[in-house]
Amino acid sequence: MLPNHSLQIPDKWIWDFWLAQDISDYHLFYLQASKDLPDPEDRHWHVSFGHAVSQDLRHWEILPDAMKPEAYGDVDEYTNWTGCVIRHDGLWYLPYTSTDRKEQGKIQRISLATSKDLIHWEKHPKNPVIEADSRYYEKYDLEHPEKNLWFDEAWRDPWVFQDPETGEFHALITGRVNYGPAESRGVIAHATSQNLIDWQVLPPLTEPMTFGTMECPQVVLIKGRYYLLFSIPPGEFVDSNLTGTFYMVADNPLGPFSAPRALWADSVKRLYSGKLVQGPDQIWYFMSWRNFALDGSFLGDISEPLAITVDEEGNLIVLEPAMVH
């Protein structure tokens, strides 16, 4: 089954997304690019942040675009990619992935924007705020590209949450360790902060397994257990043709985590970059962006929310729409 779309824009492809809840409003931020591009794959290099709002996760009102790459010379003047939104002391913070044109987008860093109303965003003067630390993570050598084991420096897709007891902020980041086989260095990188601006990079939360990268992480608490979601790009799951959204389970948001389990994964690449969100009915839903149709055509829109349940073993199960009462 391929879910129906809940958000589709006639003249734009949309893909990775993240949500922020403000009372009864769900704000959806997403990567977007014009459908005038000759190839959907070109969208990654012609990207901006779209913005929509809903009260039921199904019917969306398009708002003014949130952000776009800026003038030449800024650290994010080439691309703005996936991020997250968190509120702190009356201000909204948006850590996001940024790349520089003079580096051909090869090196990824985490930059930051802030807003008082989720509509108007200002990029922080200290950008970038988090960079990969070579003590733990693989770096890309621009001067000697032939020495690199991977096609870029993976340091993207920040997911930030605050520890309710200590007040410390934790960033979970798509990264790669600096050891082991090239095709299986993917990990969930980790950094901490007291103020969302100054960060300390720490060793990864996960050990390298069988993934090239672990994209778009998210941690949610459901029924007393923490679920760490991540997505595996096509061709980056060693000895498997699966791509999609996976998860691991722990009793602590920082682990240790169980072995990975598939939430929605297949070889057709139908859905990607899944997130869990609690709806206004208090039911947890799985949302994703729709990647490819069964005929191989690119879709580039946001799926309808699909309810999930948790079985006795702690497995997340996505329900068919007809199964939801």
Side-chain angles (χ1 to χ4, degrees):
M1 180 197 73
L2 182 64
N4 294 321
H5 69 266
S6 69
L7 177 60
Q8 188 176 64
I9 302 178
D11 62 344
K12 290 185 174 66
W13 286 304
I14 52 181
W15 63 106
D16 290 3
F17 65 92
W18 54 99
L19 293 131
Q21 188 171 357
D22 186 19
I23 309 177
S24 61
D25 288 335
Y26 293 88
H27 288 261
L28 179 75
F29 298 90
Y30 47 88
L31 306 187
Q32 63 178 9
S34 171
K35 288 185 177 179
D36 289 337
L37 294 169
D39 185 339
E41 286 302 305
D42 294 339
R43 70 188 190 277
H44 300 291
W45 308 104
H46 300 83
V47 62
S48 60
F49 289 174
H51 185 191
V53 65
S54 173
Q55 293 193 340
D56 62 5
L57 301 174
R58 290 175 173 84
H59 303 91
W60 297 94
E61 175 189 355
I62 304 297
L63 299 178
D65 290 351
M67 272 177 30
K68 63 181 180 180
E70 298 295 343
Y72 185 81
D74 288 351
V75 295
D76 63 350
E77 55 86 23
Y78 197 17
T79 65
N80 295 169
W81 287 331
T82 310
C84 66
V85 172
I86 183 171
R87 192 172 191 177
H88 176 58
D89 286 345
L91 196 64
W92 296 95
Y93 290 77
L94 196 170
Y96 63 95
T97 311
S98 59
T99 71
D100 189 330
R101 189 179 301 273
K102 66 177 179 292
E103 298 168 342
Q104 302 88 48
K106 292 293 187 181
I107 297 177
Q108 300 162 7
R109 301 175 177 88
I110 307 305
S111 291
L112 177 68
T114 59
S115 173
K116 296 178 180 179
D117 57 7
L118 288 169
I119 304 294
H120 305 91
W121 293 90
E122 294 184 4
K123 296 183 179 182
H124 200 278
K126 289 190 68 173
N127 282 340
V129 295
I130 321 178
E131 299 188 53
D133 188 327
S134 61
R135 291 178 298 172
Y136 315 117
Y137 301 104
E138 182 181 86
K139 302 286 287 184
Y140 189 90
D141 189 340
L142 285 169
E143 295 184 359
H144 304 94
E146 72 281 357
K147 295 182 179 181
N148 295 302
L149 299 181
W150 203 246
F151 52 86
D152 62 13
E153 182 174 312
W155 193 255
R156 60 182 181 269
D157 308 341
W159 179 265
V160 176
F161 67 91
Q162 186 175 24
D163 187 308
E165 296 183 2
T166 66
E168 187 173 45
F169 295 97
H170 297 269
L172 280 56
I173 300 168
T174 294
R176 284 171 51 85
V177 291
N178 56 10
Y179 62 90
E183 69 274 11
S184 55
R185 291 187 173 194
V187 292
I188 301 297
H190 184 207
T192 60
S193 174
Q194 300 297 325
N195 59 10
L196 291 166
I197 298 168
D198 304 296
W199 291 86
Q200 178 184 6
V201 176
L202 300 176
L205 291 185
T206 62
E207 295 295 327
M209 292 173 279
T210 56
F211 309 124
T213 55
M214 301 168 69
E215 293 190 316
C216 304
Q218 179 196 27
V219 169
V220 296
L221 175 63
I222 302 177
K223 294 186 176 181
R225 305 200 74 189
Y226 290 91
Y227 291 82
L228 169 60
L229 273 66
F230 59 94
S231 292
I232 303 303
E236 294 193 20
F237 191 160
V238 177
D239 297 328
S240 173
N241 65 352
L242 290 180
T243 182
T245 302
F246 298 77
Y247 68 95
M248 299 184 289
V249 190
D251 295 322
N252 185 290
L254 302 179
F257 294 97
S258 70
R261 311 172 192 180
L263 180 55
W264 187 298
D266 57 34
S267 60
V268 184
K269 310 170 190 173
R270 291 179 295 172
L271 299 180
Y272 198 71
S273 183
K275 295 286 194 297
L276 296 180
V277 56
Q278 194 168 29
D281 53 8
Q282 302 307 304
I283 293 175
W284 281 94
Y285 290 93
F286 172 75
M287 292 182 65
S288 184
W289 65 271
R290 304 197 313 163
N291 192 356
F292 290 104
L294 292 177
D295 64 4
S297 60
F298 183 74
L299 296 173
D301 53 36
I302 305 297
S303 76
E304 65 181 314
L306 299 176
I308 65 162
T309 187
V310 183
D311 69 14
E312 294 181 355
E313 286 75 41
N315 297 303
L316 298 177
I317 300 171
V318 179
L319 301 178
E320 302 282 349
M323 298 174 65
V324 181
H325 298 294

